[in-house]
Amino acid sequence: MNPFVRALALLIAFFVAAPMFIVIPMSFSSAASLTFPPPGYTLANYINFFSDPNWTEPLINSVIIGLGTVLVTLCLAIPASFALVRHIFLGRELFNLLIMLPMIVPTIVMALGYYMYFGQLRLVQSYLGVILAHSCIAMPMATLILTAALKGFDRSVERAAMNLGASPFTTFRLVTFPILRPAFTVAGLFAFIASFDEAVIALFISGRDRATLPRQMFNAVRQEADPTISAASSFLFLLVLAGVCVWLAPQFVRRRSGTTRQPLENDATNTAAAAS
């Protein structure tokens, strides 16, 4: 890689990550308000975050809504991706555009639309309403991940399984799904992160009883600048970081196994050549 491009990438990464060098130390601050640099260090903010019902209930709500979003998103994105990649039908381009629409429309516009529409269906202030709304915003990314994986998928293994008598469902369960499991995992992971980190739509339709963690963080900043928000922000950052590590870990393992396998193959070739 060009040294200039590498330096520019590192500079951009540092600029994006710079706020965390302030938020994480503040999460251990002993001050009664948001203060930097911290006058002292303590775990009080984290203890309050994991013990105060004002924070634990939104955290539990976010986990429930996130898991529900993963389930609904994958149930919709998987068949949609197979249809877009493997079939040609009337309105295919329009169907793809509709799936990608949440990436184009401003979130505040979508939140207002959900509030008006779900209000008529009595889904406001309910888990189902927030899950459906978050599934809509997670669909584009999940579909992009799955369609990219399907385009690089070798269908000859599916044909071989069906030639041996396997049904389409058995072929998907025993052949297609194991091969595409990393793509399904990454798509579900991104859906969970998109739901767990979303605040604007939650402000409109989650209500007080179904408040998510980002909504509680917004309320804490607006009302009293509770320093516990720094602990919540650090927790969200670590969650996203863990998700990225889970996504990159299989690639790192494959790369390491590939680099170790190549010398072994070369040694075997050299040994065979010497023996002959």
Side-chain angles (χ1 to χ4, degrees):
M1 182 185 294
N2 190 319
F4 174 76
V5 176
R6 181 178 299 176
L8 181 61
L10 291 175
L11 181 62
I12 294 174
F14 176 78
F15 178 78
V16 172
M20 299 312 304
F21 293 99
I22 299 177
V23 174
I24 292 179
M26 287 174 58
S27 67
F28 295 97
S29 175
S30 60
S33 61
L34 297 174
T35 304
F36 187 84
Y41 295 94
T42 179
L43 295 175
N45 292 330
Y46 286 94
I47 294 174
N48 186 53
F49 176 68
F50 288 106
S51 61
D52 188 353
N54 291 328
W55 290 98
T56 55
E57 291 180 3
L59 177 61
I60 294 173
N61 289 337
S62 291
V63 172
I64 294 174
I65 292 171
L67 295 177
T69 300
V70 171
L71 179 62
V72 174
T73 300
L74 290 181
C75 289
L76 296 176
I78 291 175
S81 301
F82 274 87
L84 289 172
V85 174
R86 297 188 175 182
H87 301 280
I88 298 176
F89 52 90
L90 183 64
R92 181 169 173 266
E93 291 77 9
L94 178 61
F95 179 65
N96 187 27
L97 177 62
L98 290 176
I99 293 178
M100 299 301 157
L101 203 58
M103 298 182 67
I104 305 172
V105 179
T107 308
I108 186 67
V109 176
M110 296 177 58
L112 181 60
Y114 290 140
Y115 177 76
M116 298 176 63
Y117 182 66
F118 286 171
Q120 298 177 359
L121 299 177
R122 298 184 179 180
L123 292 177
V124 176
Q125 302 186 26
S126 67
Y127 283 127
L128 181 58
V130 184
I131 289 173
L132 292 177
H134 284 183
S135 299
C136 290
I137 64 174
M139 269 289 293
M141 183 59 67
T143 305
L144 286 175
I145 294 171
L146 294 177
T147 52
L150 284 171
K151 288 179 181 179
F153 181 79
D154 185 7
R155 297 194 63 184
S156 61
V157 293
E158 290 181 332
R159 298 188 184 96
M162 288 186 286
N163 287 337
L164 293 174
S167 64
F169 177 75
T170 303
T171 302
F172 177 83
R173 181 171 59 89
L174 298 179
V175 178
T176 308
F177 180 77
I179 296 176
L180 295 178
R181 185 185 291 113
F184 294 150
T185 303
V186 173
L189 181 63
F190 271 89
F192 182 83
I193 292 176
S195 171
F196 204 91
D197 192 50
E198 201 284 322
V200 178
I201 294 176
L203 285 172
F204 276 77
I205 66 174
S206 64
R208 184 185 64 182
D209 296 334
R210 301 295 181 264
T212 60
L213 183 58
R215 171 173 177 157
Q216 175 61 25
M217 293 169 63
F218 176 81
N219 292 334
V221 170
R222 186 183 60 179
Q223 296 175 0
E224 53 184 338
D226 187 354
T228 309
I229 190 177
S230 59
S233 302
S234 301
F235 177 78
L236 285 177
F237 171 74
L238 293 177
L239 179 68
V240 174
L241 182 63
V244 173
C245 291
V246 170
W247 178 34
L248 295 178
Q251 301 178 18
F252 178 77
V253 171
R254 285 196 299 268
R255 188 176 302 174
R256 289 297 299 271
S257 61
T259 55
T260 54
R261 189 183 300 112
Q262 185 174 1
L264 291 175
E265 292 176 353
N266 293 335
D267 293 341
T269 304
N270 295 333
T271 304
S276 61

